[in-house]
Amino acid sequence: MTEHDVMIYALKGCRWCAKTKNWFEDEGIPFNHVDVDALKGDEFEAMIEEVERVSGGRNMPVTVIDGHVIVGWRPEEFEQAIKGEAEEGPPYSRG
Protein backbone atom coordinates (compact mmCIF):
# COMPACT_ATOMS: atom_id res chain seq x y z
CA MET A 1 0.00 0.00 0.00
CA THR A 2 1.27 3.46 -0.89
CA GLU A 3 1.94 5.82 1.99
CA HIS A 4 -0.12 8.99 1.98
CA ASP A 5 0.34 12.26 3.84
CA VAL A 6 -2.89 12.50 5.86
CA MET A 7 -3.66 15.17 8.45
CA ILE A 8 -7.00 15.43 10.27
CA TYR A 9 -7.98 18.57 12.18
CA ALA A 10 -10.73 17.58 14.60
CA LEU A 11 -12.67 18.40 17.76
CA LYS A 12 -12.80 15.98 20.69
CA GLY A 13 -16.60 15.95 21.01
CA CYS A 14 -17.38 15.92 17.28
CA ARG A 15 -18.98 12.66 16.12
CA TRP A 16 -18.10 13.39 12.46
CA CYS A 17 -14.49 13.93 13.48
CA ALA A 18 -14.50 10.58 15.31
CA LYS A 19 -16.08 8.87 12.28
CA THR A 20 -13.37 10.36 10.05
CA LYS A 21 -10.53 9.10 12.26
CA ASN A 22 -12.22 5.70 12.57
CA TRP A 23 -12.56 5.46 8.77
CA PHE A 24 -8.80 5.88 8.30
CA GLU A 25 -8.08 3.41 11.12
CA ASP A 26 -10.49 0.85 9.61
CA GLU A 27 -8.88 1.30 6.18
CA GLY A 28 -5.42 0.82 7.70
CA ILE A 29 -4.27 4.23 6.47
CA PRO A 30 -1.88 5.98 8.85
CA PHE A 31 -2.70 9.58 9.68
CA ASN A 32 -1.71 12.45 11.92
CA HIS A 33 -4.35 14.41 13.76
CA VAL A 34 -4.85 17.22 16.19
CA ASP A 35 -7.86 17.76 18.42
CA VAL A 36 -7.96 21.54 18.10
CA ASP A 37 -10.17 22.06 21.14
CA ALA A 38 -7.63 20.26 23.34
CA LEU A 39 -5.15 23.08 22.77
CA LYS A 40 -4.94 26.19 24.94
CA GLY A 41 -3.94 29.82 24.54
CA ASP A 42 -1.53 30.73 21.76
CA GLU A 43 -1.29 27.12 20.58
CA PHE A 44 -5.08 27.03 20.12
CA GLU A 45 -5.13 30.37 18.29
CA ALA A 46 -2.28 29.29 15.99
CA MET A 47 -4.06 26.03 15.14
CA ILE A 48 -7.35 27.83 14.41
CA GLU A 49 -5.44 30.13 12.04
CA GLU A 50 -3.91 27.08 10.35
CA VAL A 51 -7.33 25.43 9.95
CA GLU A 52 -8.74 28.61 8.42
CA ARG A 53 -5.74 28.93 6.07
CA VAL A 54 -5.99 25.31 4.96
CA SER A 55 -9.78 25.04 4.62
CA GLY A 56 -11.10 28.57 4.30
CA GLY A 57 -13.22 28.24 7.44
CA ARG A 58 -13.64 26.72 10.88
CA ASN A 59 -15.85 23.72 10.12
CA MET A 60 -14.48 20.35 11.16
CA PRO A 61 -13.28 17.79 10.52
CA VAL A 62 -10.76 19.03 7.98
CA THR A 63 -8.87 16.22 6.30
CA VAL A 64 -5.84 16.90 4.14
CA ILE A 65 -4.76 13.96 1.96
CA ASP A 66 -1.61 14.54 -0.08
CA GLY A 67 -2.47 18.24 -0.19
CA HIS A 68 -6.14 17.74 -1.12
CA VAL A 69 -8.46 19.39 1.44
CA ILE A 70 -11.79 17.78 2.38
CA VAL A 71 -14.11 19.46 4.89
CA GLY A 72 -16.64 17.28 6.69
CA TRP A 73 -17.45 13.59 6.81
CA ARG A 74 -17.00 12.56 3.15
CA PRO A 75 -15.74 8.98 2.92
CA GLU A 76 -16.26 8.85 -0.85
CA GLU A 77 -13.94 11.83 -1.23
CA PHE A 78 -11.40 10.30 1.17
CA GLU A 79 -11.34 7.22 -1.04
CA GLN A 80 -10.98 9.28 -4.24
CA ALA A 81 -8.10 11.27 -2.76
CA ILE A 82 -6.33 8.09 -1.63
CA LYS A 83 -6.71 6.68 -5.15
CA GLY A 84 -5.41 9.93 -6.64
CA GLU A 85 -8.78 10.67 -8.25
CA ALA A 86 -9.76 13.70 -6.15
CA GLU A 87 -11.54 16.60 -7.84
CA GLU A 88 -9.74 19.93 -7.88
CA GLY A 89 -11.23 23.04 -6.33
CA PRO A 90 -11.80 24.65 -2.97
CA PRO A 91 -13.12 22.37 -0.21
CA TYR A 92 -16.53 24.07 -0.14
CA SER A 93 -17.12 23.88 -3.89
CA ARG A 94 -18.28 20.27 -3.69
CA GLY A 95 -21.54 19.09 -2.16
Side-chain angles (χ1 to χ4, degrees):
M1 176 185 251
T2 304
E3 285 290 317
H4 295 278
D5 182 19
V6 179
M7 178 64 180
I8 301 170
Y9 300 91
L11 301 173
K12 291 187 298 185
C14 166
R15 71 179 180 157
W16 302 113
C17 300
K19 285 177 70 88
T20 297
K21 291 186 274 187
N22 288 339
W23 186 90
F24 283 90
E25 289 172 356
D26 292 347
E27 294 294 319
I29 300 169
F31 62 93
N32 295 305
H33 82 279
V34 62
D35 289 323
V36 176
D37 56 342
L39 304 174
K40 303 288 184 222
D42 291 343
E43 196 174 23
F44 171 80
E45 293 300 324
M47 191 58 62
I48 286 292
E49 287 179 18
E50 182 174 335
V51 168
E52 288 177 336
R53 180 185 55 77
V54 167
S55 70
R58 290 187 176 198
N59 293 338
M60 301 216 200
V62 174
T63 306
V64 183
I65 304 169
D66 299 330
H68 182 76
V69 179
I70 301 166
V71 177
W73 163 245
R74 299 177 184 263
E76 298 83 14
E77 289 188 39
F78 304 155
E79 202 168 312
Q80 288 175 340
I82 292 297
K83 291 178 181 177
E85 301 170 354
E87 293 180 28
E88 293 300 317
Y92 291 102
S93 68
R94 302 173 307 274

